[in-house]
mmCIF file of all heavy atoms in Angstrom:
data_model
loop_
_atom_site.group_PDB
_atom_site.id
_atom_site.type_symbol
_atom_site.label_atom_id
_atom_site.label_comp_id
_atom_site.label_asym_id
_atom_site.label_seq_id
_atom_site.Cartn_x
_atom_site.Cartn_y
_atom_site.Cartn_z
ATOM 1 N N SER A 294 -29.327 -87.478 -52.302
ATOM 2 C CA SER A 294 -30.206 -86.826 -53.270
ATOM 3 C C SER A 294 -30.679 -87.703 -54.413
ATOM 4 O O SER A 294 -31.734 -87.370 -55.026
ATOM 5 C CB SER A 294 -29.548 -85.574 -53.791
ATOM 6 O OG SER A 294 -28.279 -85.968 -54.425
ATOM 7 N N ILE A 295 -29.891 -88.784 -54.599
ATOM 8 C CA ILE A 295 -30.320 -89.662 -55.714
ATOM 9 C C ILE A 295 -30.321 -91.112 -55.158
ATOM 10 O O ILE A 295 -29.279 -91.801 -55.020
ATOM 11 C CB ILE A 295 -29.246 -89.595 -56.831
ATOM 12 C CG1 ILE A 295 -29.118 -88.239 -57.430
ATOM 13 C CG2 ILE A 295 -29.716 -90.626 -58.056
ATOM 14 C CD1 ILE A 295 -28.136 -88.070 -58.560
ATOM 15 N N LEU A 296 -31.527 -91.519 -54.839
ATOM 16 C CA LEU A 296 -31.769 -92.846 -54.271
ATOM 17 C C LEU A 296 -32.194 -93.907 -55.336
ATOM 18 O O LEU A 296 -32.251 -95.027 -55.053
ATOM 19 C CB LEU A 296 -32.839 -92.915 -53.181
ATOM 20 C CG LEU A 296 -32.486 -92.025 -51.896
ATOM 21 C CD1 LEU A 296 -33.648 -92.156 -50.899
ATOM 22 C CD2 LEU A 296 -31.258 -92.353 -51.273
ATOM 23 N N SER A 297 -32.342 -93.315 -56.579
ATOM 24 C CA SER A 297 -32.892 -94.302 -57.656
ATOM 25 C C SER A 297 -31.789 -94.948 -58.348
ATOM 26 O O SER A 297 -32.078 -95.952 -59.136
ATOM 27 C CB SER A 297 -33.586 -93.347 -58.643
ATOM 28 O OG SER A 297 -32.761 -92.390 -59.237
ATOM 29 N N HIS A 298 -30.500 -94.695 -58.058
ATOM 30 C CA HIS A 298 -29.495 -95.437 -58.716
ATOM 31 C C HIS A 298 -28.342 -95.825 -57.758
ATOM 32 O O HIS A 298 -27.868 -94.979 -56.921
ATOM 33 C CB HIS A 298 -28.750 -94.469 -59.816
ATOM 34 C CG HIS A 298 -27.869 -95.293 -60.756
ATOM 35 N ND1 HIS A 298 -28.214 -95.388 -62.079
ATOM 36 C CD2 HIS A 298 -26.685 -96.038 -60.527
ATOM 37 C CE1 HIS A 298 -27.185 -96.103 -62.726
ATOM 38 N NE2 HIS A 298 -26.383 -96.502 -61.846
ATOM 39 N N ASP A 299 -28.029 -97.084 -57.626
ATOM 40 C CA ASP A 299 -27.108 -97.634 -56.695
ATOM 41 C C ASP A 299 -25.705 -97.115 -56.984
ATOM 42 O O ASP A 299 -25.226 -97.198 -58.077
ATOM 43 C CB ASP A 299 -27.085 -99.176 -56.925
ATOM 44 C CG ASP A 299 -26.661 -99.913 -55.671
ATOM 45 O OD1 ASP A 299 -26.436 -99.273 -54.651
ATOM 46 O OD2 ASP A 299 -26.591 -101.114 -55.705
ATOM 47 N N HIS A 300 -25.203 -96.310 -55.991
ATOM 48 C CA HIS A 300 -23.808 -95.755 -56.155
ATOM 49 C C HIS A 300 -23.220 -95.455 -54.812
ATOM 50 O O HIS A 300 -23.906 -95.351 -53.827
ATOM 51 C CB HIS A 300 -23.973 -94.425 -57.041
ATOM 52 C CG HIS A 300 -24.618 -93.288 -56.203
ATOM 53 N ND1 HIS A 300 -25.975 -93.202 -55.967
ATOM 54 C CD2 HIS A 300 -24.093 -92.214 -55.614
ATOM 55 C CE1 HIS A 300 -26.151 -92.117 -55.308
ATOM 56 N NE2 HIS A 300 -25.086 -91.486 -55.032
ATOM 57 N N TYR A 301 -21.837 -95.171 -54.850
ATOM 58 C CA TYR A 301 -21.186 -94.750 -53.683
ATOM 59 C C TYR A 301 -20.275 -93.559 -53.999
ATOM 60 O O TYR A 301 -20.163 -93.164 -55.248
ATOM 61 C CB TYR A 301 -20.171 -96.017 -53.340
ATOM 62 C CG TYR A 301 -20.833 -97.318 -53.292
ATOM 63 C CD1 TYR A 301 -20.332 -98.422 -53.957
ATOM 64 C CD2 TYR A 301 -22.044 -97.520 -52.457
ATOM 65 C CE1 TYR A 301 -21.013 -99.684 -53.918
ATOM 66 C CE2 TYR A 301 -22.741 -98.770 -52.445
ATOM 67 C CZ TYR A 301 -22.163 -99.793 -53.186
ATOM 68 O OH TYR A 301 -22.838 -101.036 -53.146
ATOM 69 N N GLN A 302 -19.811 -92.888 -52.950
ATOM 70 C CA GLN A 302 -18.933 -91.847 -53.132
ATOM 71 C C GLN A 302 -17.633 -92.090 -52.514
ATOM 72 O O GLN A 302 -17.607 -92.770 -51.449
ATOM 73 C CB GLN A 302 -19.513 -90.499 -52.493
ATOM 74 C CG GLN A 302 -20.798 -90.045 -53.145
ATOM 75 C CD GLN A 302 -21.487 -88.723 -52.637
ATOM 76 O OE1 GLN A 302 -20.809 -87.665 -52.898
ATOM 77 N NE2 GLN A 302 -22.491 -88.899 -51.908
ATOM 78 N N ALA A 303 -16.582 -91.664 -53.141
ATOM 79 C CA ALA A 303 -15.239 -91.954 -52.677
ATOM 80 C C ALA A 303 -14.324 -90.787 -52.848
ATOM 81 O O ALA A 303 -14.754 -89.709 -53.383
ATOM 82 C CB ALA A 303 -14.622 -93.157 -53.535
ATOM 83 N N GLY A 304 -13.027 -90.865 -52.456
ATOM 84 C CA GLY A 304 -12.233 -89.730 -52.688
ATOM 85 C C GLY A 304 -10.890 -89.857 -51.743
ATOM 86 O O GLY A 304 -10.770 -90.664 -50.901
ATOM 87 N N ARG A 305 -10.045 -88.843 -51.943
ATOM 88 C CA ARG A 305 -8.729 -88.836 -51.187
ATOM 89 C C ARG A 305 -8.869 -87.656 -50.282
ATOM 90 O O ARG A 305 -8.244 -86.565 -50.449
ATOM 91 C CB ARG A 305 -7.647 -88.590 -52.290
ATOM 92 C CG ARG A 305 -6.328 -89.018 -51.696
ATOM 93 C CD ARG A 305 -5.256 -89.016 -52.827
ATOM 94 N NE ARG A 305 -4.003 -89.595 -52.377
ATOM 95 C CZ ARG A 305 -3.041 -89.867 -53.156
ATOM 96 N NH1 ARG A 305 -3.130 -89.603 -54.509
ATOM 97 N NH2 ARG A 305 -1.891 -90.370 -52.733
ATOM 98 N N HIS A 306 -9.590 -87.856 -49.197
ATOM 99 C CA HIS A 306 -9.843 -86.852 -48.176
ATOM 100 C C HIS A 306 -10.074 -87.475 -46.886
ATOM 101 O O HIS A 306 -10.756 -88.372 -46.779
ATOM 102 C CB HIS A 306 -10.948 -86.010 -48.677
ATOM 103 C CG HIS A 306 -11.246 -84.850 -47.718
ATOM 104 N ND1 HIS A 306 -10.478 -83.731 -47.637
ATOM 105 C CD2 HIS A 306 -12.263 -84.631 -46.813
ATOM 106 C CE1 HIS A 306 -10.942 -82.896 -46.755
ATOM 107 N NE2 HIS A 306 -12.029 -83.375 -46.273
#
Side-chain angles (χ1 to χ4, degrees):
S294 59
I295 302 179
L296 299 181
S297 61
H298 195 115
D299 207 1
H300 72 284
Y301 312 126
Q302 294 184 73
R305 199 169 191 171
H306 183 72

